[in-house]
Amino acid sequence: MTNTSTNRSGAAAHTVGLDIGGTKILGALLDAGGGLVATTRLATELGPEGVVRSAARATRDVVAAAGLDLSAVGGIGLGIPGIVDAAAGTVKHAVNLGVRDELPLAERLSAALGGVPVVVENDLNVAAVGAAHVLEREGAQAASCHDDLTVSDGGAGAVLAPGVPASAYHEDLAFLALGTGVASGLVMDGRLRRGVSGAAGEIGHVPVDPAGPECSCGQRGCIETFVSGTALATAWPSRHGKPSPVELFEAADAGNADAIRVRKRFADAVAAAVRMLVLTVDVHYVVLGGGVAQLGRPLLDVVRDSLREQAEVSPFLASLGLPERVTLAPSDVPVAAVGAAVLGRRDERAELPAKVDGAAPAPALAGTKTRGR
Amino acid sequence: MTNTSTNRSGAAAHTVGLDIGGTKILGALLDAGGGLVATTRLATELGPEGVVRSAARATRDVVAAAGLDLSAVGGIGLGIPGIVDAAAGTVKHAVNLGVRDELPLAERLSAALGGVPVVVENDLNVAAVGAAHVLEREGAQAASCHDDLTVSDGGAGAVLAPGVPASAYHEDLAFLALGTGVASGLVMDGRLRRGVSGAAGEIGHVPVDPAGPECSCGQRGCIETFVSGTALATAWPSRHGKPSPVELFEAADAGNADAIRVRKRFADAVAAAVRMLVLTVDVHYVVLGGGVAQLGRPLLDVVRDSLREQAEVSPFLASLGLPERVTLAPSDVPVAAVGAAVLGRRDERAELPAKVDGAAPAPALAGTKTRGR
């Protein structure tokens, strides 16, 4: 993803990315080389007008934070939890934002900002693009700087092919969001995969146990019934005012047998999601993100333990080096906002992922990818 | 996949594709426009020397069948069941071919044929590329010509996005091979997806039932334990000299309750594979191929019934239109050989799928993708 955007005078330009959530907007400003220059964070105003207004304000804020003005910006990318039609630049059913009907968000924000080109994307897709961008730039050095960014930890060498520079793999990953729900964004060989109906990455609704609990989607034993924040809050309700995943891990660490069992089932299901992603598309990294991933290193440890346990019974799985492919989303960078800015760098519609990926709007997937984070 | 190959004089050229199996080699000759000009079929000679010799003979045969000679050929593609390093042009562990150690097949065959460029690919990958090529060319008209090629049957319109020509979707599919084992080849947005370690499409080894049978891979309840030809032969051994899947379907049609139960479990597991492929990468088509798919229309019918049943309990699944995405591999065209010829049309290494996909050799995946067909 090395395309650069140009501003209206034709010079290489900065781009802005916004990660628009139900309570806050995170903003990022990238320079022409893709370097992170400034970030911002402000409260989201709800409703169509509110979303446009606060997105415009976030854009101006992050540009001003870098001592620049809007003329330096060649493109804006937005990540938003709703049903996005990337080709049309619209969003609908963004329930947490108070947006129900189709909102021509790209057009409205562009008009509010003097005509800067705006692209709109699903929030998980921008997170995947952002994670790829950060991994690409930080590369193998990251592990030495960030304890929780474990690119070289454990040896990506297990799956690196001889003669291929490590950098070639950084734009090949699944961003696995463990949030209220569970879903994934996919970047393969540097290209965002939306799928022909915008449903790529909806792995939360793949059943893995016919005897499992009923899922909100109508099926039984979906990955989401074991892995999501909702599932954890049901299995281990918060009792001491901390988030349920935190209390669960603390209780398990303290030796509570029930907590150990619940945590194990959770870790095994995350491991199942990782295994499924790798066996289906063989991505180089699976990056754990979303609210539950704020657990950080302890989450990574239990998931890797489960993957190692799986590999013990299967030489085939062992050959794939799954524990080494899993990593945590960087916690010191607003990955989704960065990913949105990367997409905003593509100043030509033609530079969006090609025909099929770019042209197909998402169908009405009630309660799915929009809940992933 | 519209790149054309040129022959050594620089003119647009024909290409040859070979699907090399343990008993036979199927060959296809494509013209510069991608049209199928001739096919051939001959017995495979085993061992490294035998494979090279019979591949050379198949190439000469299919070229001669079109009244041409080798000077008309700009490139050759091979599909082979073994561990392929596409970048190096080598294959190893092709057990059914009597090839154990690494064989520089591209180099050897090229030398035997006066220097024509040769590319080597995994057999499932060429099948996926071939299916995409055939669907692209035959498009929606196919259903009216071939009863078993059901592109427009049931209305691909269910998942076609408004304003997107049907042709845009034909190079977006999973080729799901139901053979001795189960695995998939993936073409997304016209690009072959190998994965960073050549393991993309290994969905046969995704567990779907923790209480299921032990799998040869060491895990339990893998898709392959329910779906493969081996699984069917175990659940319904052949008693009357016909292939086990044929006898199973006949007995079920005749009302045998056991057969109905075994067929249902099989169809449900194929449907689970389809669901997983679509929820993970949202491909437009899932093409059923491999030995078991010779059942033809009755196979398609039971798989679609299972998918409809799944959709009945889940509005989310229903919105994805899974029954309409499933189709049968064309039975009147050697798809894998055609796909190999399509890959042979890329006369520059750089035109192979880009860096990550092209550069990574497969790891030692004992007994997996090589068994898919």
Side-chain angles (χ1 to χ4, degrees), chain A residues 136 159 161-162 164 167-169 171-172 186-191 193-203 205-211 217-219 272 275-284 310 313-317 319-320 325 353-357 359-361 363-366 368, chain B residues 136 159 161-162 164 167-169 171-172 186-191 193-203 205-211 217-219 272 275-284 310 313-317 319-320 325 353-357 359-361 363-366 368:
Chain A
E136 183 198 19
V159 283
V164 180
S167 62
Y169 293 111
E171 298 216 30
D172 202 278
L186 290 167
V187 171
M188 292 183 283
D189 194 20
R191 292 159 60 98
R193 171 70 186 175
R194 294 187 181 96
V196 295
S197 54
E202 286 290 358
I203 62 163
H205 297 293
V206 176
V208 290
D209 185 355
C217 79
Q219 302 182 93
R275 178 179 55 194
M276 186 165 60
L277 284 164
V278 172
L279 288 177
T280 307
V281 286
D282 192 17
V283 280
H284 190 256
Q310 289 173 358
V313 302
S314 173
F316 165 58
L317 275 190
S319 77
L320 296 174
R325 299 197 195 207
K355 54 183 184 184
V356 172
D357 281 349
L365 304 180
T368 58
Chain B
E136 183 197 19
V159 283
V164 180
S167 63
Y169 292 110
E171 297 215 31
D172 202 277
L186 290 167
V187 171
M188 292 182 282
D189 193 19
R191 292 158 61 96
R193 172 70 186 175
R194 294 186 181 97
V196 294
S197 55
E202 285 291 358
I203 63 163
H205 296 293
V206 176
V208 290
D209 184 355
C217 79
Q219 302 183 93
R275 179 179 54 192
M276 187 165 60
L277 285 164
V278 172
L279 288 178
T280 307
V281 285
D282 193 16
V283 280
H284 191 258
Q310 289 174 358
V313 302
S314 174
F316 165 59
L317 275 189
S319 77
L320 295 176
R325 299 197 194 205
K355 53 183 186 185
V356 172
D357 282 349
L365 304 181
T368 58

Side-chain angles (χ1 to χ4, degrees), chain A residues 57-116:
Chain A
R57 188 181 310 138
T59 304
R60 295 184 191 279
D61 277 5
V62 76
V63 172
L68 299 169
D69 63 39
L70 272 179
S71 67
V73 176
I76 300 171
L78 309 179
I80 192 161
I83 297 176
V84 169
D85 181 341
T90 61
V91 63
K92 60 183 176 183
H93 296 302
V95 181
N96 293 341
L97 300 173
V99 173
R100 292 205 66 83
D101 300 334
E102 188 165 273
L103 171 65
L105 184 53
E107 185 187 319
R108 294 282 302 279
L109 183 61
S110 181
L113 295 170
V116 189

Side-chain angles (χ1 to χ4, degrees), chain A residues 172-316:
Chain A
D172 202 278
L173 60 79
F175 183 93
L176 177 57
L178 309 171
T180 313
V182 176
S184 180
L186 290 167
V187 171
M188 292 183 283
D189 194 20
R191 292 159 60 98
L192 174 62
R193 171 70 186 175
R194 294 187 181 96
V196 295
S197 54
E202 286 290 358
I203 62 163
H205 297 293
V206 176
V208 290
D209 185 355
E214 274 186 39
C215 181
S216 61
C217 79
Q219 302 182 93
R220 189 173 275 284
C222 293
I223 286 181
E224 190 164 302
T225 65
F226 300 103
V227 163
S228 66
T230 312
L232 279 184
T234 303
W236 198 263
S238 171
R239 293 172 183 94
H240 309 291
K242 296 182 192 171
S244 145
V246 173
E247 293 195 359
L248 170 66
F249 273 60
E250 284 178 355
D253 286 342
N256 180 310
D258 283 345
I260 291 171
R261 183 182 49 76
V262 170
R263 183 171 71 177
K264 179 74 166 65
R265 194 176 58 189
F266 161 75
D268 285 348
V270 177
V274 171
R275 178 179 55 194
M276 186 165 60
L277 284 164
V278 172
L279 288 177
T280 307
V281 286
D282 192 17
V283 280
H284 190 256
Y285 292 110
V286 179
V287 179
L288 305 180
V292 178
Q294 288 172 15
L295 284 163
R297 187 71 200 209
L299 168 69
L300 187 62
D301 288 343
V302 297
V303 171
R304 285 185 170 167
D305 285 347
S306 287
L307 288 166
R308 286 194 194 97
E309 219 173 86
Q310 289 173 358
E312 270 167 27
V313 302
S314 173
F316 165 58

Side-chain angles (χ1 to χ4, degrees), chain A residues 28-166:
Chain A
L29 179 73
L30 297 189
D31 63 25
L36 181 59
V37 178
T39 62
T40 192
R41 174 188 177 125
L42 53 78
T44 310
E45 296 178 57
L46 302 185
E49 301 304 322
V51 167
V52 173
R53 196 163 46 231
S54 45
R57 188 181 310 138
T59 304
R60 295 184 191 279
D61 277 5
V62 76
V63 172
L68 299 169
D69 63 39
L70 272 179
S71 67
V73 176
I76 300 171
L78 309 179
I80 192 161
I83 297 176
V84 169
D85 181 341
T90 61
V91 63
K92 60 183 176 183
H93 296 302
V95 181
N96 293 341
L97 300 173
V99 173
R100 292 205 66 83
D101 300 334
E102 188 165 273
L103 171 65
L105 184 53
E107 185 187 319
R108 294 282 302 279
L109 183 61
S110 181
L113 295 170
V116 189
V118 177
V119 297
V120 183
E121 189 48 82
N122 173 282
D123 60 341
L124 285 186
N125 291 344
V126 298
V129 171
H133 185 76
V134 172
L135 287 176
E136 183 198 19
R137 294 181 68 85
E138 303 202 351
Q141 300 170 344
S144 60
C145 310
H146 308 292
D147 186 47
D148 58 351
L149 185 64
T150 51
V151 178
S152 69
D153 177 356
V159 283
L160 280 176
V164 180

Side-chain angles (χ1 to χ4, degrees), chain B residues 162-253:
Chain B
V164 180
S167 63
Y169 292 110
H170 293 144
E171 297 215 31
D172 202 277
L173 60 77
F175 184 93
L176 177 56
L178 310 171
T180 314
V182 176
S184 180
L186 290 167
V187 171
M188 292 182 282
D189 193 19
R191 292 158 61 96
L192 174 62
R193 172 70 186 175
R194 294 186 181 97
V196 294
S197 55
E202 285 291 358
I203 63 163
H205 296 293
V206 176
V208 290
D209 184 355
E214 273 187 40
C215 180
S216 61
C217 79
Q219 302 183 93
R220 189 174 276 281
C222 293
I223 286 181
E224 190 165 302
T225 64
F226 300 102
V227 163
S228 66
T230 312
L232 279 183
T234 303
W236 199 262
S238 172
R239 294 172 182 95
H240 310 291
K242 297 182 192 172
S244 144
V246 173
E247 294 195 358
L248 170 65
F249 273 60
E250 284 178 354
D253 286 341

